[in-house]
Amino acid sequence: MTTHQVTTAAYEHNNHPVTNQTFYAIACDPQRSVAVEACAGAGKTWMLVSRILRALLAGSEAHEILAITFTKKAAGEMRQRLNEWLLEFSKATPEQLEQELLIRGLSPQASQNLREPLQNLYQALLLQGRPVQIRTFHSWFAALLRAAPLAVLEGLGLPANYELLEDDSRAVALVWRRFYAALLKDDAQSQIARQDFEAVVRSHGRFQAEKALEAALAKRVEFALADVHGVLETSMPHFSEQFSDLMENSPLGLSQSKPYEPLALLRATGGNHPLHAALWLAAQTLGRAPQVSFSAKGGELEVALTSADAQGVLTALLTKDGSPRKFTEKVPGIAQVREAQAQLLRVQAAQAQHEAWLYQQRMVRLTRVMIATFSALKRERGWVDMNDVERAALHLLSDPVLGGWVQERLDARIRHLLIDEFQDTNPLQWQALQAWLSGYAGTGGGAQAPSVFIVGDPKQSIYRFRRAEPQVFLAAQQFVVNHLGGERLSCDHTRRNAPPVMQLVNAVMGQAQVQGEFHGFRAHTTGSTAAGAVLRLPQIERPSADAQDDAANDHAALDWRDSLSTPQELPEETLRTL
């Protein structure tokens, strides 16, 4: 890699400017734990593979180095780069070898001393017969699972002999028939679940109901962990917690001890609830108004109150979109009308909260049924999916005794852990790693503690659909520095992106930071002199959720197609092809 002479502000070590040579020397030092935030084109993978080289030269065995990335393609490219370098160095001159070592942070004397070991490293690794572990998260987690005791698998509800599903779409497609069958059973729990599903479909449509359940199933591990800690039912507050005044002085027929639907206040009679008094005053005020249209609304409100017609009360004082009707200030006592409207708005807000709470409670119960059904399907087929692998890894690595035993079984006492594209790590993956590494925290970097190297760029997080969370990167940075005694590096200089591209990045990210949508952005510089160009794809208008729901339901219910010759098209799939 060729270094560039640029302003030192582009490179930072623990929030202090440094030269690019110092930056890369710290990043490539395998004895340090380092968290690197680097923009595209800063040489992230170069740093990681260089660090592997230096660890090998420092005496680490190949199998003691674990490099993790997120896709098989990326792991293959990393492995290929390492092999290409080793082959290239085996044929290089002493001067070339010394230069390669210098740019990787070694001193002139160390670079001279290590020229021959670097040249012989390719042959030495071939003779060892065990390569550096360059794997995806899931392949490493799967290796941990294969080494797990049978009792652990049984405790996690996983089969002893299983087929690993890298893509669970096949299992998800099969679960729906079983899920509906579960709703049709005669037991009390199934009847409750059936009522929940019917209520959700009435409110949101079948398409949205199934879409929500699929989303919950995709996060089944997080759901299960939250369920174990009992936070699901309380994660959505009931309206009585936020609108406690609506529970006071309950009208006749409504109990203060048992929360009721807020709109029930408008259907109840008797009692001395302030809302009723305000509504009657509003009806009388509007009824005396000289304007015919206003007095008519007063009459409508009085009839609605007398007949306990909740919708009539709302229609008299609020518009179709739920906003207050406009009455002129010339109406005597208009303040009383305004007060009644304000209280109705609170009832509406409480009703919305109540409906959100109902939806939450129903979806929690339905998701439990869905996950149980899905788990039973996988056990029956002998399947284990990637969510199971992550859950098992968390369990194995969280237990210090069990984790050490698994590592021994794998014969892979890790001395160096390196993770590329860390911004795409999901919370569960980091939780598993953190549980493992926390056993070393505060030990002062003892003999058993691996060095940790993470590198990434939160701006480039693209795997949100796989539960990636950029905030995990920030948490990992703090962990490396605060708990492992590591270093923090930042690089805002790119070697490959053209100036127009960086101008756009600086403008967009700078604006996002001003608007509070992103934090910690620093203007980027570039060493490229290419002309470059910035292109923009045309925007495709996305139909509303209701339109998608109606279209999907209509399509499924009304359209006939020859399934042998005509593929099924869903609205979302069609949108992607435009």
Side-chain angles (χ1 to χ4, degrees):
M1 189 187 85
T2 303
T3 56
H4 296 269
Q5 297 300 323
V6 296
T7 57
T8 57
Y11 299 91
E12 292 186 357
H13 171 226
N14 294 336
N15 298 320
H16 298 292
V18 294
T19 64
N20 52 359
Q21 291 89 348
T22 300
F23 176 91
Y24 289 111
I26 295 172
C28 296
D29 185 354
Q31 302 308 314
R32 301 173 185 249
S33 287
V34 183
V36 182
E37 179 181 350
C39 63
K44 293 189 286 293
T45 305
W46 182 92
M47 287 182 266
L48 189 148
V49 180
S50 295
R51 192 176 170 98
I52 293 175
L53 277 178
R54 286 194 52 180
L56 291 169
L57 290 172
S60 294
E61 298 291 332
H63 66 272
E64 295 175 332
I65 301 172
L66 173 62
I68 298 177
T69 187
F70 287 84
T71 65
K72 292 180 179 178
K73 180 181 179 182
E77 291 173 350
M78 194 184 301
R79 194 175 296 112
Q80 179 181 359
R81 179 177 295 197
L82 177 60
N83 291 335
E84 287 176 349
W85 280 5
L86 291 172
L87 181 59
E88 178 184 336
F89 297 155
S90 70
K91 303 174 183 178
T93 66
E95 293 74 19
Q96 290 172 330
L97 292 170
E98 186 174 341
Q99 180 60 27
E100 293 293 343
L101 292 167
L102 283 171
I103 66 174
R104 287 169 173 82
L106 287 163
S107 67
Q109 185 61 52
S111 297
Q112 287 186 359
N113 295 338
L114 291 173
R115 291 182 303 187
E116 184 175 348
L118 178 58
Q119 190 169 47
N120 296 332
L121 194 54
Y122 184 62
Q123 182 180 5
L125 290 182
L126 290 177
L127 291 175
Q128 283 185 20
R130 300 186 66 178
V132 173
Q133 298 186 77
I134 300 178
R135 323 181 70 157
T136 64
F137 254 118
H138 284 147
S139 71
W140 185 54
F141 282 172
L144 297 178
L145 182 59
R146 286 192 294 271
L150 292 178
V152 173
L153 294 177
E154 183 178 350
L156 293 172
L158 302 177
N161 298 311
Y162 57 84
E163 175 190 351
L164 181 61
L165 292 179
E166 295 191 16
D167 181 1
D168 64 4
S169 58
R170 178 169 45 145
V172 172
L174 292 174
V175 77
W176 284 105
R177 177 174 293 183
R178 292 168 178 258
F179 172 74
Y180 288 126
L183 298 184
L184 295 175
K185 293 180 180 178
D186 291 333
D187 58 276
Q189 184 178 358
S190 297
Q191 292 176 3
I192 294 173
R194 182 167 64 252
Q195 293 171 0
D196 286 336
F197 186 75
E198 290 171 351
V200 172
V201 169
R202 281 195 301 270
S203 300
H204 303 279
R206 180 167 175 170
F207 177 79
Q208 292 296 334
E210 292 182 346
K211 185 177 179 181
L213 282 171
E214 282 192 357
L217 188 61
K219 293 194 173 184
R220 51 192 172 273
V221 177
E222 291 88 342
F223 181 94
L225 291 173
D227 207 8
V228 167
H229 289 86
V231 300
L232 293 175
E233 284 87 351
T234 59
S235 59
M236 175 68 69
H238 190 270
F239 85 90
S240 58
E241 298 179 27
Q242 297 176 274
F243 301 90
S244 57
D245 57 299
L246 297 181
M247 298 295 297
E248 299 173 0
N249 300 315
S250 299
L252 296 179
L254 297 181
S255 170
Q256 292 188 24
S257 60
K258 184 179 180 180
Y260 45 79
E261 181 185 37
L263 285 182
L265 284 171
L266 305 182
R267 294 191 290 267
T269 57
N272 58 347
H273 198 281
L275 173 63
H276 286 178
L279 290 172
W280 277 109
L281 281 176
Q284 295 167 5
T285 299
L286 289 175
R288 293 192 298 266
Q291 295 87 350
V292 176
S293 59
F294 295 169
S295 61
K297 287 299 178 184
E300 290 179 17
L301 180 57
E302 183 176 353
V303 170
L305 289 170
T306 303
S307 59
D309 177 9
Q311 188 57 47
V313 173
L314 294 173
T315 302
L317 293 181
L318 306 179
T319 63
K320 290 182 178 180
D321 64 3
S323 59
R325 289 190 178 278
K326 295 181 179 180
F327 298 108
T328 179
E329 296 295 332
K330 296 181 179 179
V331 174
I334 190 61
Q336 296 171 333
V337 177
R338 299 278 187 260
E339 173 61 22
Q341 288 177 318
Q343 293 200 37
L344 275 187
L345 290 177
R346 283 184 54 76
V347 171
Q348 274 199 150
Q351 182 67 25
Q353 182 65 28
H354 176 67
E355 291 173 359
W357 176 83
L358 279 178
Y359 177 78
Q360 161 75 5
Q361 300 297 305
R362 288 164 177 159
M363 287 303 301
V364 165
R365 293 190 290 266
L366 288 171
T367 300
R368 287 182 181 135
V369 175
M370 174 63 83
I371 291 176
T373 304
F374 192 68
S375 298
L377 168 65
K378 289 189 298 179
R379 283 195 301 271
E380 179 183 311
R381 299 295 182 97
W383 288 338
V384 167
D385 60 31
M386 294 305 182
N387 283 272
D388 297 323
V389 169
E390 290 181 349
R391 178 167 59 99
L394 174 61
H395 178 77
L396 291 169
L397 295 176
S398 297
D399 188 306
V401 176
L402 192 57
W405 182 85
V406 170
Q407 288 294 311
E408 290 289 350
R409 280 287 306 274
L410 290 174
D411 191 20
R413 180 71 66 181
I414 307 301
R415 293 180 58 185
H416 302 281
L417 173 66
L418 308 96
I419 307 177
D420 197 12
E421 304 296 352
F422 197 90
Q423 73 278 353
D424 292 322
T425 305
N426 69 47
L428 194 63
Q429 291 167 341
W430 170 238
Q431 191 175 359
L433 286 175
Q434 185 181 21
W436 173 41
L437 296 173
S438 291
Y440 302 114
T443 63
Q448 300 299 317
S451 71
V452 176
F453 177 81
I454 65 172
V455 60
D457 182 4
K459 299 188 301 300
Q460 297 183 61
S461 182
I462 61 173
Y463 286 108
R464 297 300 289 270
F465 65 94
R466 294 184 182 174
R467 312 190 334 269
E469 174 51 61
Q471 292 300 318
V472 170
F473 183 86
L474 302 179
Q477 276 184 323
Q478 295 175 0
F479 180 85
V480 169
V481 174
N482 298 333
H483 297 280
L484 300 180
E487 317 288 338
R488 179 174 178 174
L489 296 175
S490 302
C491 174
D492 307 313
H493 182 74
T494 177
R495 296 172 291 111
R496 68 167 181 255
N497 293 318
V501 175
M502 298 318 300
Q503 290 173 7
L504 179 62
V505 169
N506 288 337
V508 171
M509 297 306 301
Q511 181 179 2
Q513 181 154 268
V514 170
Q515 295 174 348
E517 299 173 354
F518 193 88
H519 302 284
F521 175 74
R522 300 169 298 272
H524 291 1
T525 59
T526 179
S528 172
T529 58
V534 176
L535 305 177
R536 184 177 67 177
L537 294 174
Q539 184 176 0
I540 300 175
E541 293 297 330
R542 180 181 295 273
S544 65
D546 290 341
Q548 290 187 59
D549 193 3
D550 293 342
N553 288 333
D554 292 346
H555 179 84
L558 302 178
D559 290 354
W560 181 90
R561 64 183 174 85
D562 183 349
S563 60
L564 297 178
S565 60
T566 306
Q568 183 180 12
E569 289 187 1
L570 295 177
E572 185 65 20
E573 293 175 345
T574 305
L575 180 64
R576 291 194 185 101
T577 64
L578 294 177

